[in-house]
Amino acid sequence: MAKRIIGTAGHIDHGKTSIVHALTGVDTDRLKEEQEREITIDLGFAFLDGSTAFIDVPGHEKFVRNMVAGVTGIDLALLVIAADDGIMPQTLEHLDIIRLLKIENIVIALSKIDLAEPDWIELVEEEIRDLLNATGYDDSPIVPVSSETREGIEELRSVLAARLDMITGSSYERPFRMPVDRSFSMTGFGTVVTGTVISGEISDDSIVDLLPSGKNPRVRGIQTQGENVDKAVTGTRTAVNLAGIQKKEVIRGDVISEKGFYKSSLNVNCSLQYLPSASKPLKFRDRIRFHSGTVEAIGRVILLEKDTCEPGEECFAQIQLEKPVAVSAGERFIIRQYSPPFTIGGGEILEIDVPRPRRNRREIAAFLKKINGRPMETRLLEFLLRDRLKALSTKEYSAEFGLYVDFIKSVFESEPKKVLSFQSEGENFWFSAEAFDHLLKKTEKTIIDHHRKNPEKPNIKRLEIINDVGNRISENIWKLAFEKLRDRIITEKDRLRHMDFKPELSGETQKVYSNIKKFIISRGINGPNLKELIEETGIPEKDLVRYLGNMIDSGIIVKVDSTLYYTKEEIGNIGNTVTEHIKNNGSITVAGLREVLGTSRKYSLPLLNHFDHTGLTVRQGDERVLK
């Protein structure tokens, strides 16, 4: 049987706690101050049966922040309105909160009917019905009750059970997540936290994330609905005994969650419904109180489309918070006026852990408008298509959206024409097929353009192409791209050229190449350096460096140890001499090569360094051996 949570709502002194007591036999006012003042200050908890729990919230305007924490994760709201009072300010504010949190199922308990005349009760009931019709809850039942005489209590019990049976679950599962509403210490047990499991399940002895601190305590005991259990599931009131953490390290507003599936945020992008009851327009950078889950944080609203949002309007915004909070995309939130505190709006978190906008506010708003109200599968695809070649891993998408990796993989794998992937270190990374196709075309065009502008240059450095096309693209994406282009782009170490390209040397260039090569050949084993080549050829240094680079790229000459130049044939001959010597003598030294070649250390040392670099030899102390 599914576990369900009912949360109370309503104005102070309308009888919420008394109704819970009448239904469960439990007095949820646990604090001494609550009992002395006869008002609910903090959250109270009771169990209707083995599958249904009550969260009793305070009705006083000073404690609305506690009320918001209490209705997080509930399946049904029991809105209590006293027959002798009728609709009051906190009735309206609590109903606004219920509506903004998208709690779709409510039952109205018309309480204290023993204190009002039948005609008055009928008038109040009509007023309530008008309110429900105006707020989209027109099919919600109204049950007249009295906690004193118990009239209507059993009918209310039946109505609640019937409404709970009508509730269906989400179309997809999310990893375990429980916002903390209480933290305390028990002798012999240590730290205990309580909350409502809003998704997933948790088992005894699990390692969990405590957010936003990032600590990883171990679960060493679980209670749900007041009983010791091995695991807690979605919809249960749960107490978790945590090992490796002190009570002072966990506060209301923290979240315990399945390890690795969620993260904390300072900035969130959202859709925001600004209530018609707000007394003034919401302005750019207005300070507000942000409520989500059980957390309250101070922040500022950064409107993305314009600088004001009028009462009754829906807008897109970034909320910039003064402390990190553990929230997830798709989660509902409430904002309250900073001072005096009053509920002014709420909405849905669409993106978490986002950078602050610079000059792209409207661009961000356009994207949020595209995903707002769409199914989670569509949102995942839109995020991937927007991020193009960013290539996030499945785990990174899990942390962004609070979704299991199997669900994410199934969404992406169902769209092979739109989504591509690669594997790295056992992880799948996902990116846009359209963006990848654009990358291939742009890369090939860039190489062709380079050849057209540099007809004498035989190839182009791979890094130069990457910098020209997009140096923020991951190496894995580039590896895939060059692999995909292998039938048109020839790769030689770190150099690239188009298969249709052949260098076109002018007569003058051919003459220069010939003169340079003749001089290098004439030097034999004593290859010249740049200074000597400048003196011999009379070519300006800048032009000579360009000529030498092209000759190296064409395989005509070889640059040794960044200083000396040899022909390809001469380096081959010297390499054969080194190989033969090592085979006969076991190794070769700088002095040994100097003697074999009849040259000086000025040439033998750079040559051996070159052979080390190219993989012919390996240095062992002062000696070289064949690799």
Side-chain angles (χ1 to χ4, degrees), residues 290-344:
F290 172 87
H291 297 262
S292 185
T294 57
V295 73
E296 178 185 24
I298 307 301
R300 292 189 183 276
V301 176
I302 308 302
L303 298 171
L304 297 173
E305 295 176 289
K306 50 187 180 178
D307 290 338
T308 59
C309 185
E310 298 294 330
E313 285 189 338
E314 184 174 3
C315 56
F316 294 99
Q318 181 174 112
I319 297 178
Q320 298 176 352
L321 301 165
E322 295 180 8
K323 68 176 183 180
V325 296
V327 293
S328 184
E331 191 172 334
R332 305 295 299 184
F333 68 93
I334 298 294
I335 60 168
R336 306 188 77 222
Q337 189 171 279
Y338 178 69
S339 182
F342 193 82
T343 302
I344 55 175

Side-chain angles (χ1 to χ4, degrees), residues 95-252:
L95 184 58
D96 280 337
I97 291 168
I98 289 167
R99 189 159 52 89
L100 291 167
L101 292 177
K102 284 287 179 75
I103 298 166
E104 298 177 354
N105 300 281
I106 69 170
V107 171
I108 289 75
L110 182 56
S111 64
K112 300 189 178 184
I113 57 173
D114 55 307
L115 301 180
E117 296 296 326
D119 289 349
W120 177 256
I121 293 172
E122 186 177 340
L123 186 64
V124 171
E125 192 167 346
E126 288 179 7
E127 184 183 25
I128 294 170
R129 182 56 64 192
D130 288 341
L131 175 63
L132 294 173
N133 290 340
T135 53
Y137 290 109
D138 43 290
D139 67 338
S140 299
I142 303 172
V143 184
V145 295
S146 168
S147 301
E148 290 296 318
T149 67
R150 294 192 62 81
E151 181 181 351
I153 292 297
E154 292 310 312
E155 181 187 354
L156 178 60
R157 189 192 305 274
S158 297
V159 169
L160 290 172
R163 299 296 286 196
L164 288 172
D165 284 343
M166 294 167 59
I167 298 172
T168 57
S170 170
S171 61
Y172 52 87
E173 292 185 0
R174 290 187 132 170
F176 169 75
R177 190 163 178 269
M178 188 183 89
V180 174
D181 51 40
R182 289 177 64 203
S183 171
F184 53 92
S185 183
M186 290 183 64
T187 304
F189 292 92
T191 302
V192 177
V193 298
T194 68
T196 300
V197 179
I198 60 176
S199 64
E201 62 180 45
I202 181 101
S203 300
D204 202 5
D205 211 36
S206 301
I207 302 297
V208 294
D209 283 334
L210 174 63
L211 300 173
S213 72
K215 295 180 179 178
N216 300 115
R218 179 177 61 84
V219 176
R220 64 178 181 187
I222 304 172
Q223 277 195 356
T224 65
Q225 320 295 74
E227 297 181 355
N228 292 324
V229 293
D230 293 328
K231 68 178 181 179
V233 298
T234 303
T236 52
R237 281 299 304 170
T238 301
V240 181
N241 184 198
L242 296 176
I245 206 89
Q246 296 183 21
K247 172 186 173 294
K248 65 182 181 180
E249 296 178 277
V250 192
I251 60 173
R252 174 177 289 180

Side-chain angles (χ1 to χ4, degrees), residues 38 41 148 223 303 312 339 362 366 420 446 464 612-613:
E38 295 185 343
I41 295 173
E148 290 296 318
Q223 277 195 356
L303 298 171
S339 182
R362 293 184 187 278
L420 299 175
T446 302
E464 191 175 338
D612 290 344
H613 178 71

Side-chain angles (χ1 to χ4, degrees), residues 22 36 112 215 292 335 342 357 392 437 462 501 536 571:
E36 289 174 350
K112 300 189 178 184
K215 295 180 179 178
S292 185
I335 60 168
F342 193 82
L392 296 180
D437 185 61
R462 184 177 186 271
F501 173 74
E536 173 65 23
I571 280 294

